[in-house]
Amino acid sequence: MVTIGFLADHLDTIPALVKWFRDQWPDYYADMSDEEMTRDFLEDVSRDSIPSRLVAFESNKLVGTIILRKGENEILQEIQPELGGLYVMESYRGHGIGTELVRAGMKLAHEQGYSAISATTVKAAGILKSLGWKFIKTVQYPDGEVSLYYCQL
């Protein structure tokens, strides 16, 4: 069974998050030390405002994460906040954990008083569509293209 909690309540998971993110997005984190990445994760520990990072556990093992944060997308600046940084350990992918993390992020946004959220994705379009998100457009960035979605809460 998947349980989801706030990073604020599981600070001991930060070293694993640092490793995951460095391994998953090596180019993005190439110029950051582990200490800098740790400080960045420590900025995501709010429970009632953004940024707020959630972590997922399967049988008490850390298996995934997502963040609710201020939107960084110029195209949908009016839709705040955004969900991002979705990561599920490779051996746990395809088991619904990503869906549960997105659902928890949507619930958190609603609880914080937001009426809509956005997200960009390379690989999680199926999750977003299954939860009622609407495709806006494909956006080309220097490091590749992403799909932009939004969801009314």
Side-chain angles (χ1 to χ4, degrees):
M1 178 178 164
V2 176
T3 58
I4 297 175
F6 289 99
L7 176 61
D9 299 322
H10 301 281
L11 295 177
D12 60 321
T13 65
I14 291 177
L17 297 175
V18 168
K19 180 175 178 1
W20 287 356
F21 279 50
R22 188 174 298 289
D23 290 348
Q24 183 69 33
W25 298 287
D27 294 339
Y28 186 83
Y29 292 102
D31 295 334
M32 291 181 75
S33 69
D34 286 357
E35 292 78 21
E36 290 170 313
M37 290 178 70
T38 296
R39 281 194 299 275
D40 279 357
F41 281 114
L42 287 170
E43 293 176 5
D44 303 340
V45 297
S46 178
R47 292 179 188 87
D48 56 8
S49 63
I50 57 175
S52 186
R53 182 170 294 281
L54 300 171
V55 286
F57 298 88
E58 176 76 41
S59 301
N60 295 318
K61 178 179 180 172
L62 178 67
V63 295
T65 186
I66 197 167
I67 186 169
L68 181 66
R69 63 186 174 206
K70 182 180 185 305
E72 300 171 354
N73 191 297
E74 310 96 39
I75 297 167
L76 284 183
Q77 283 188 332
E78 73 279 5
I79 299 180
Q80 292 290 334
E82 75 174 359
L83 281 179
L86 175 63
Y87 181 87
V88 175
M89 283 182 61
E90 193 167 342
S91 59
Y92 287 85
R93 293 177 188 168
H95 299 170
I97 295 166
T99 300
E100 290 305 312
L101 281 162
V102 172
R103 188 176 282 127
M106 293 167 65
K107 180 177 185 255
L108 178 60
H110 180 73
E111 289 171 350
Q112 290 185 9
Y114 295 100
S115 60
I117 55 177
S118 65
T120 55
T121 185
V122 174
K123 297 182 179 180
I127 292 172
L128 298 177
K129 288 177 192 175
S130 74
L131 293 173
W133 289 62
K134 305 294 182 216
F135 173 77
I136 301 296
K137 67 186 282 183
T138 300
V139 180
Q140 184 66 46
Y141 288 112
D143 58 343
E145 64 180 37
V146 297
S147 298
L148 176 61
Y149 286 82
Y150 87 99
C151 181
Q152 290 294 135
L153 300 174

